[in-house]
Amino acid sequence: MEISQIGRRRVYFLSFTIVLSVVTILFVSNWGAFTVSLTDAFFGEKGSLAKEVFWNLRFPRVILATLLGGSLAWSGALAQGLFRNPIVDPGLVGITAGSAFFASIGIVLGTNIPDFPPVWGVIILSFVGGITTGFLVYILARVHGKTEINTLLLTGIAINALCFAGIGILSYIANDAQLRNLSLWNMGSLGGASWTTLLRLGPLLLLPLIVSPFLAGPMNVFALGEREAMHLGISVEILKSVLILLIGVTVGACVSLSGNISFVGLAVPHIVRLIIGQDYKYLLYSSFFLGGALLTLGDGFCRTVLAPAEIPVGIITAFIGAPVFLFLLNQRKRRLA
């Protein structure tokens, strides 16, 4: 395939993901136990039930799902670039487990943060836990002033084990109500979406759209190898630090707002890479918009299929993502055979 054809293919695919994301937002906004048409939502009588449901319940949830899915997929693309391995996700460096562990502390032991309701205490603890765990893994993986990728991976696996052990202890001492909240948190849900949620932590989920232009070039060079990147003028250690910080902030924000939603950060960027290749100029943005569209569709399905009951969206992403992951592993095995 000629270079110009590859370039056009990447542009077309990025355009497709943007259009898909916008169409999904409008399409899924109609879904739910109470059907709201876009005509009623935009042009209906002021103060009507349709307008209230759409603007105060449905629309902020759809926007949050788009930002969450996009940020998780974007973080996955960063993690795969950091490890130079297409089948890893942010959970490998312990950030997801750290967020879940700190959230579990808030749920079981309670929070006492002034001027914040209890649920926001849990959200803040989860966010702080994700960032703290990311930096802890980074510090422990430093060897003689450098961060070894293999050491980073092994440290992340160890921190994962410690965090899940802590969650197990908290689950053991929790009462029935706390245990139910822990289970729901670990299954992932967007049921708490509101404009307040978006205004307080939503800006962090816009980081992918802001910083991607500055990361694309260095990550394309870094994909060649650390030594090659250093020879081409890239400060490899600074780039690694920035990537871990960005992954920690975005994943910490995502987990704090929705609980544990798995496989989006693993499957989406890998699928995008299979379609348009390794160029991060298109890979990062395409992963963001495709991840947002897929999570929005998944959440719409979760709150519609058994309406008025609601399935935690983390169950759906795991149910769909696990077979995709097995398929990707099988394809990788065939290529290496």
Side-chain angles (χ1 to χ4, degrees):
M1 184 180 295
E2 297 179 0
I3 295 178
S4 59
Q5 290 179 315
I6 296 175
R8 284 198 298 270
R9 183 181 189 179
R10 289 167 175 165
V11 171
Y12 292 156
F13 184 77
L14 175 57
S15 302
F16 166 75
T17 59
I18 294 173
V19 172
L20 177 65
S21 182
V22 174
V23 171
T24 301
I25 289 173
L26 297 175
F27 183 61
V28 176
S29 296
N30 291 331
W31 294 8
F34 180 78
T35 302
V36 180
S37 70
L38 294 180
T39 302
D40 293 336
F42 284 95
F43 306 108
E45 183 181 349
K46 185 177 180 180
S48 65
L49 180 60
K51 272 186 173 291
E52 291 296 321
V53 169
F54 182 86
W55 290 110
N56 294 326
L57 296 176
R58 197 74 54 77
F59 199 62
R61 178 164 179 160
V62 170
I63 295 297
L64 182 61
T66 300
L67 293 177
L68 280 172
S71 295
L72 288 171
W74 182 83
S75 300
L78 291 191
Q80 291 171 7
L82 175 64
F83 289 101
R84 293 195 297 279
N85 189 323
I87 52 174
V88 303
D89 74 343
L92 282 179
V93 291
I95 294 171
T96 303
S99 293
F101 174 55
F102 274 66
S104 300
I105 292 175
I107 291 171
V108 176
L109 302 182
T111 60
N112 187 20
I113 301 178
D115 301 324
F116 282 96
V119 65
W120 268 98
V122 174
I123 289 173
I124 292 171
L125 272 178
S126 177
F127 178 62
V128 171
I131 297 177
T132 302
T133 307
F135 273 109
L136 179 62
V137 171
Y138 174 71
I139 292 170
L140 293 176
R142 299 278 289 179
V143 179
H144 302 302
K146 294 184 178 181
T147 307
E148 298 291 336
I149 294 298
N150 290 335
T151 306
L152 183 68
L153 177 60
L154 293 173
T155 305
I157 292 173
I159 294 297
N160 263 321
L162 285 174
C163 289
F164 283 120
I167 293 172
I169 293 172
L170 291 169
S171 299
Y172 182 76
I173 65 175
N175 59 38
D176 290 342
Q178 293 167 344
L179 192 59
R180 178 174 175 78
N181 287 334
L182 277 176
S183 298
L184 291 174
W185 184 274
N186 287 320
M187 286 188 288
S189 174
L190 299 177
S194 66
W195 290 119
T196 301
T197 302
L198 283 172
L199 290 174
R200 287 183 174 175
L201 281 181
L204 294 176
L205 303 181
L206 295 174
L207 274 176
L209 298 177
I210 298 171
V211 304
S212 289
F214 306 100
L215 293 175
M219 291 195 70
N220 280 335
V221 177
F222 185 73
L224 301 174
E226 291 191 28
R227 183 172 299 179
E228 290 79 359
M230 292 176 63
H231 288 316
L232 292 172
I234 299 297
S235 180
V236 172
E237 291 305 313
I238 292 178
L239 179 61
K240 291 178 186 176
S241 303
V242 169
L243 292 180
I244 292 173
L245 173 63
L246 289 172
I247 293 171
V249 169
T250 52
V251 173
C254 289
V255 176
S256 67
L257 291 172
S258 64
N260 188 18
I261 298 177
S262 58
F263 285 104
V264 175
L266 169 67
V268 172
H270 190 89
I271 292 170
V272 173
R273 188 177 282 106
L274 290 175
I275 296 173
I276 64 172
Q278 185 77 359
D279 189 348
Y280 284 90
K281 180 181 178 182
Y282 300 96
L283 176 63
L284 294 176
Y285 280 120
S286 297
S287 297
F288 181 89
F289 289 111
L290 183 60
L294 292 181
L295 186 59
T296 302
L297 284 171
D299 182 59
F301 175 81
C302 289
R303 55 185 166 81
T304 303
V305 65
L306 295 178
E310 185 176 309
I311 303 173
V313 69
I315 294 177
I316 298 299
T317 59
F319 186 76
I320 297 174
V324 171
F325 182 58
L326 292 175
F327 171 77
L328 296 176
L329 285 177
N330 186 57
Q331 293 295 107
R332 180 179 174 85
K333 182 176 68 174
R334 289 185 177 182
R335 285 197 301 268
L336 295 176

